Amino acid sequence: MTENAETPVCSSRGCRHTAAWMLKWRNPRLHGPERVKRWAACDEHLEALRSFLTSRGFPCETVKLDD
Ligand SMILES: [Zn+2]
């Protein structure tokens, strides 16, 4: 997957790790189906970021980033 030429950094606050995963999500109360937000995540923070989204009922897709 080459959607971004730059190496993404984990979206978790204060984390500087290179992301291995991309979370695609949206808030269905605010966004239509075309408005997909993206969070990058390292291995360490993937579960925390994903549970943050799923606990709020946001549709969320996890994509592995190739390096
Ligand atoms: Zn991280």
Side-chain angles (χ1 to χ4, degrees):
M1 197 178 86
T2 47
E3 296 188 22
N4 193 337
E6 296 179 31
T7 304
V9 174
C10 179
S11 299
S12 187
R13 185 183 297 269
C15 182
R16 306 294 299 162
H17 290 142
T18 301
W21 304 91
M22 188 66 71
L23 288 164
K24 300 181 180 181
W25 66 277
R26 63 188 178 87
N27 182 341
R29 293 186 198 89
L30 299 179
H31 307 135
E34 75 287 353
R35 280 285 307 277
V36 178
K37 309 265 281 180
R38 289 158 184 268
W39 279 358
C42 68
D43 285 328
E44 187 181 341
H45 290 116
L46 174 65
E47 283 306 321
L49 291 168
R50 185 162 54 190
S51 54
F52 178 92
L53 298 170
T54 56
S55 69
R56 282 159 180 77
F58 297 167
C60 173
E61 181 188 350
T62 308
V63 179
K64 182 87 171 78
L65 296 178
D66 297 324
D67 46 15

